[in-house]
């Protein structure tokens, strides 16, 4: 169902004293296993990414015990898509891996973080406090601060069948556009 993360190395002559840095590539989708139905609907629109091995799917079951792999996947991804629902926000995947802090505290340039609001989830507006890994300064982030692929006040579950299909198609178009933007160098 999911393909491997893709990463490549590229050296540039303009940085002779720096070590070559991997290029961020691919899309990591983080979701709750309870939202597999929505993931399936979204995947229909993301077939081009799957065929190119650019789609890496992470649910709360896969993430259990996979903290190092998850950090590696996120640090190499060009796009991180979060399927937001109460099940996702309450999962150990989200809390134990401190997902908001990991995403907000990425080295620059960071992956584009996109949220697809699946079900009503008021915790998306909660503030998550953390210490910035680069500056050690206190920071905070809200899930709703990341780019929304749809309106958090009108999640997919609140839409009729046609509106939901349209919202998923538009979300997939934006994910694909973000995945194919100019390469971003990672700070691994």
């Amino acid at each position: 169902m999911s393909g491997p993360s893709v990463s490549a190395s590229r050296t540039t002559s303009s940085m002779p004293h720096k070590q070559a840095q991997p290029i961020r590539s691919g899309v990591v989708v983080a979701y709750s296993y309870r939202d597999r139905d929505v993931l399936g609907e979204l995947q229909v629109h993301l077939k081009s990414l799957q065929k190119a091995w650019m789609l890496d799917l992470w649910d709360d079951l896969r993430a259990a015990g996979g903290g190092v792999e998850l950090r590696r996947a996120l640090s190499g991804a060009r796009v991180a898509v979060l399927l937001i629902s109460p099940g996702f926000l309450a999962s150990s995947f989200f809390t134990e891996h401190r997902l908001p802090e990991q995403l907000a505290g990425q080295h620059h340039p960071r992956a584009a973080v996109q949220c697809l609001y699946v079900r009503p989830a008021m915790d998306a507006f909660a503030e998550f406090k953390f210490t910035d890994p680069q500056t050690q300064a206190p920071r905070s982030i809200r899930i709703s601060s990341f780019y929304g692929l749809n309106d958090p006040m009108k999640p997919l579950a609140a839409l009729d069948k046609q509106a939901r299909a349209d919202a998923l198609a538009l979300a997939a178009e934006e994910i694909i556009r973000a995945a194919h933007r100019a390469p971003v160098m990672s700070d691994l």
Side-chain angles (χ1 to χ4, degrees):
M1 184 171 183
S2 67
S5 296
V6 177
S7 61
S9 296
R10 184 180 299 182
T11 56
T12 61
S13 58
S14 63
M15 294 189 291
H17 301 297
K18 281 193 166 187
Q19 183 178 0
Q21 297 176 333
I23 295 175
R24 287 185 179 271
S25 63
V27 176
V28 171
V29 178
Y31 65 102
S32 169
Y33 75 93
R34 294 180 187 122
D35 299 320
R36 284 180 297 214
D37 58 329
V38 175
L39 176 67
E41 292 175 57
L42 180 62
Q43 279 182 283
V44 168
H45 300 285
L46 298 177
K47 285 294 182 195
S48 65
L49 295 177
Q50 280 185 298
K51 289 177 182 177
W53 293 97
M54 291 178 67
L55 192 61
D56 194 5
L57 306 175
W58 282 82
D59 67 13
D60 37 6
L61 299 177
R62 178 180 177 194
V68 172
E69 284 184 55
L70 176 61
R71 279 190 295 281
R72 187 176 303 128
L74 289 172
S75 68
R78 185 171 299 160
V79 182
V81 178
L82 310 179
L83 302 189
I84 305 298
S85 68
F88 178 70
L89 296 178
S91 71
S92 59
F93 176 20
F94 184 80
T95 57
E96 288 175 23
H97 293 293
R98 299 172 43 125
L99 204 50
E101 294 92 328
Q102 275 194 51
L103 295 168
Q106 295 179 73
H107 292 278
H108 286 283
R110 47 182 81 161
V113 180
Q114 301 178 334
C115 297
L116 182 61
Y117 295 92
V118 176
R119 300 182 208 309
M122 293 312 294
D123 283 349
F125 300 99
E127 191 171 37
F128 297 91
K129 296 179 187 280
F130 66 101
T131 302
D132 187 294
Q134 286 87 38
T135 65
Q136 300 305 310
R139 287 189 52 205
S140 63
I141 188 73
R142 289 182 170 90
I143 292 295
S144 59
S145 299
F146 294 123
Y147 181 79
L149 293 166
N150 62 331
D151 184 346
M153 300 308 289
K154 294 180 183 172
L156 296 176
L159 304 176
D160 64 36
K161 188 175 181 177
Q162 185 58 52
R164 177 179 169 126
D166 292 344
L168 284 165
L170 289 172
E173 286 176 21
E174 183 58 36
I175 293 166
I176 291 168
R177 261 195 306 276
H180 292 296
R181 286 191 180 113
V184 177
M185 299 302 282
S186 173
D187 286 336
L188 292 178

